[in-house]
Amino acid sequence: MREAYHVELEQLADNLADMSVQVANAMELATKALLNADLSLAEQVIGADAKIDDARAECEEQAYALLALQAPVATDLRTVLAVIHAAESLERMGDLALHVAKAARRRHPDSALPDPVRPLFSEMGEAVVRLALRVQEVIKSRDVEAARSLEADDDRIDEIHRHLFSVIMAKDWEFGVPAAVDVTLLGRFYERYADHAVSVAKRMVFVVTGRMPGYGSDDDI
Amino acid sequence: MREAYHVELEQLADNLADMSVQVANAMELATKALLNADLSLAEQVIGADAKIDDARAECEEQAYALLALQAPVATDLRTVLAVIHAAESLERMGDLALHVAKAARRRHPDSALPDPVRPLFSEMGEAVVRLALRVQEVIKSRDVEAARSLEADDDRIDEIHRHLFSVIMAKDWEFGVPAAVDVTLLGRFYERYADHAVSVAKRMVFVVTGRMPGYGSDDDI
C-alpha cells in the first residue's frame, strides 16, 4: 500500500507540474496579446482557461481519492493537503492570465497599455512566467533552495509594480483616467499571479521540510 | 469514533462560523475607517488581522488532526476538505478588509474617497458585511436556500462595482488619476471579498448536498 501511495503521489506531483506549465503559457500568451493588442492570442488564452480549471478539478479528485483510499498520516497527509492548496493557487494564476487576456480583448483594436508602461509590463510578464516555470522545477526537484530563490523574482515584480504606480500617478501622465484604471488592474493581476506562485513554492518547501516558511499572504498594494 | 468525529466536526464548523463574524467585523470597521478617514479604526482593523490568520491556522490544524485521527471517507472526507478551503477564503476576506483599512490609513487625514463615490462604498460595505454574516448563518444552519440567496447580494455588489467604474471613467471626473487609482483598487477589494463569501457558501452547499454549485471563480472585473 505504501508503494501504491508513492506512485500515486508522484503522479499527482506530475499533474501539478503540468499545471504550472499551463499557467506559465497562459500568462506568456496573455502578455503578448496585451503588448501587441493581438485579439486571436487573447481568444486563445480565454478559450484555454477551462482546461486549467479541469486540471485543477482532476488534481483535487486524485488527492481526494488518495486520502480516502490510503488514509495517509503525518508528513504524507500534509503533502496531499499541500497539493490541494497548490492546485487552487495554480488555478487562480490561470484566472489572472485570463483577466489579462480579457483586458486585451476589451480594448482591441486599441492597446490597453499606453507607451510609457509597455516596457514595465513586458518585464513583469517575463518575470512572472519565469516564476511559474520555476514553480514547475521546484515541484519536480523538491529543491528547497530553488523555492527560496523565487522570492528574488517576486521582489523584482513588487518593485516594477511600485514603479508602475509612480508612472500613472505622475503629473505628466497624459493618458487620462480610463487608461490609468486599466493599468492599475493589470498591474495588480501580475502582482497577484506572482504572489500565488510564491505561495505554491512555499507549500512545496513545506512538503520537503515539514515547515511552512511564513504564514499568510504578503499581498500588499 | 464516529461520535467523536461528529463532535469535532461541529467544533470545526463553530470555529469557521466565528471566523465569518471576525471578517464581517473587520470589513465593517474598515469601511467606517474609509468613509470617515478614521485612523484609529483603521489601526484597529490592521492590528486585528493577525487574529484572523491565527484562527485560520487553528481551523487547518483541527482539520488536519481530524483527517489524521479519524481518517474520514466519502462525504465526511469532503466535509473536512470543504472546511479547509472555506478557512482559506475567510482568511483572504480578512486580508481584503486589511487592505481597505491600509488604504484609509495611507490617505489619512485626507479621505481616500472623493464625494461622488462615497455612497457607493457605503452601500458596498453594508452589502459585503451582510454577505459575511449570511455565510455565518449558512455554516450554522446548513441551509441550502440561504446559501443560494447570497448570490442576489453578490449580484448587487457587481452592479455597484460596475457603476463605480462608470463614475470614475466619466468625463466629468474631477479628482484626477491618483483618486481614480485608489477607487479602482478599493472597488476590487470589495468585489473580491464578496466573491470569497459566495465561494464559502458554495462549499457549504457542497457539504450538505454533495454537489458543488458551479466550479471555478466568477471573478471578472
Side-chain angles (χ1 to χ4, degrees):
Chain A
M1 183 166 117
R2 291 292 84 183
E3 188 51 33
Y5 168 77
H6 285 288
V7 170
E8 284 170 35
L9 193 60
E10 276 312 307
Q11 166 104 58
L12 198 48
D14 284 348
N15 288 353
L16 209 59
D18 288 348
M19 270 189 87
S20 315
V21 177
Q22 282 181 64
V23 303
N25 288 344
M27 197 49 135
E28 189 173 10
L29 294 182
T31 304
K32 274 190 195 157
L34 184 68
L35 290 169
N36 306 323
D38 184 329
L39 184 62
S40 84
L41 270 187
E43 295 287 7
Q44 195 179 323
V45 175
I46 294 163
D49 184 59
K51 275 192 209 138
I52 296 170
D53 294 347
D54 290 348
R56 181 259 176 104
E58 204 184 308
C59 274
E60 225 172 70
E61 284 309 313
Q62 275 184 300
Y64 284 19
L66 224 158
L67 288 173
L69 299 175
Q70 313 282 356
V73 294
T75 309
D76 289 348
L77 172 60
R78 288 178 183 270
T79 303
V80 178
L81 293 170
V83 168
I84 293 176
H85 281 296
E88 186 163 14
S89 290
L90 286 164
E91 188 200 351
R92 189 75 201 124
M93 290 162 74
D95 286 341
L96 291 160
L98 174 69
H99 291 346
V100 172
K102 282 186 173 175
R105 182 173 70 177
R106 197 163 39 241
R107 297 296 169 235
H108 180 84
D110 294 329
S111 170
L113 298 180
D115 281 341
V117 298
R118 291 172 55 85
L120 297 175
F121 278 92
S122 172
E123 192 184 344
M124 268 203 296
E126 279 169 29
V128 302
V129 168
R130 209 159 47 227
L131 270 185
L133 293 175
R134 276 223 199 146
V135 165
Q136 182 219 12
E137 282 170 29
V138 169
I139 293 169
K140 287 202 169 269
S141 67
R142 315 277 159 88
D143 179 344
V144 172
E145 285 313 309
R148 293 204 175 110
S149 76
L150 263 81
E151 305 215 1
D153 261 325
D154 187 41
D155 288 346
R156 177 70 192 133
I157 291 157
D158 288 343
E159 206 179 292
I160 305 172
H161 192 228
R162 276 192 299 274
H163 184 45
L164 199 58
F165 278 110
S166 71
V167 172
I168 55 181
M169 301 274 204
K171 283 201 167 39
D172 62 353
W173 175 261
E174 54 185 309
F175 307 94
V177 167
V181 168
D182 276 351
V183 168
T184 300
L185 288 172
L186 284 163
R188 182 142 179 96
F189 298 153
Y190 283 89
E191 191 228 356
R192 292 294 298 147
Y193 183 101
D195 285 343
H196 282 290
V198 170
S199 135
V200 175
K202 281 185 179 171
R203 294 265 173 201
M204 293 301 121
V205 171
F206 170 77
V207 166
V208 176
T209 64
R211 291 173 61 107
M212 191 72 187
Y215 214 97
S217 147
D218 296 334
D219 159 36
D220 257 2
I221 328 174
Chain B
M1 183 165 117
R2 290 292 82 185
E3 188 51 34
Y5 168 75
H6 284 289
V7 170
E8 284 170 36
L9 193 60
E10 277 312 307
Q11 166 105 57
L12 197 49
D14 284 348
N15 289 353
L16 209 59
D18 288 347
M19 272 189 86
S20 313
V21 176
Q22 285 181 62
V23 303
N25 288 344
M27 197 48 135
E28 190 174 8
L29 295 181
T31 303
K32 273 189 194 158
L34 184 68
L35 289 169
N36 306 323
D38 184 329
L39 184 62
S40 84
L41 270 188
E43 294 287 6
Q44 194 179 323
V45 175
I46 294 163
D49 184 59
K51 274 193 209 138
I52 296 170
D53 294 347
D54 291 347
R56 181 258 175 107
E58 204 183 308
C59 274
E60 223 170 71
E61 283 309 313
Q62 276 184 298
Y64 284 19
L66 225 158
L67 288 173
L69 299 175
Q70 312 281 355
V73 293
T75 309
D76 290 348
L77 172 60
R78 287 178 185 270
T79 303
V80 178
L81 294 170
V83 167
I84 294 175
H85 281 296
E88 185 163 15
S89 290
L90 286 164
E91 188 200 352
R92 190 76 200 124
M93 289 162 74
D95 287 340
L96 291 160
L98 174 70
H99 291 346
V100 172
K102 283 187 174 173
R105 182 173 70 177
R106 197 163 39 239
R107 296 296 169 234
H108 180 84
D110 294 329
S111 170
L113 298 180
D115 281 341
V117 298
R118 290 173 56 84
L120 297 175
F121 278 93
S122 173
E123 193 185 345
M124 267 202 298
E126 280 171 29
V128 302
V129 169
R130 209 158 49 225
L131 270 184
L133 293 175
R134 277 223 199 147
V135 164
Q136 183 219 10
E137 282 170 29
V138 169
I139 293 170
K140 287 201 169 270
S141 67
R142 314 279 158 89
D143 179 344
V144 172
E145 285 313 308
R148 293 205 176 109
S149 77
L150 264 81
E151 305 215 2
D153 261 325
D154 187 42
D155 287 346
R156 177 68 192 133
I157 291 157
D158 288 342
E159 208 179 292
I160 305 172
H161 192 229
R162 275 192 299 273
H163 183 44
L164 199 59
F165 277 110
S166 70
V167 172
I168 55 182
M169 301 273 204
K171 284 204 165 36
D172 61 354
W173 175 261
E174 53 185 310
F175 308 94
V177 167
V181 167
D182 275 351
V183 168
T184 299
L185 287 173
L186 284 163
R188 180 140 181 98
F189 298 153
Y190 283 89
E191 191 228 358
R192 292 296 297 149
Y193 182 101
D195 285 344
H196 282 289
V198 170
S199 134
V200 175
K202 280 185 179 172
R203 294 266 174 201
M204 293 301 121
V205 171
F206 170 76
V207 165
V208 177
T209 64
R211 292 171 62 106
M212 191 72 186
Y215 215 95
S217 147
D218 295 335
D219 158 37
D220 257 4
I221 329 174

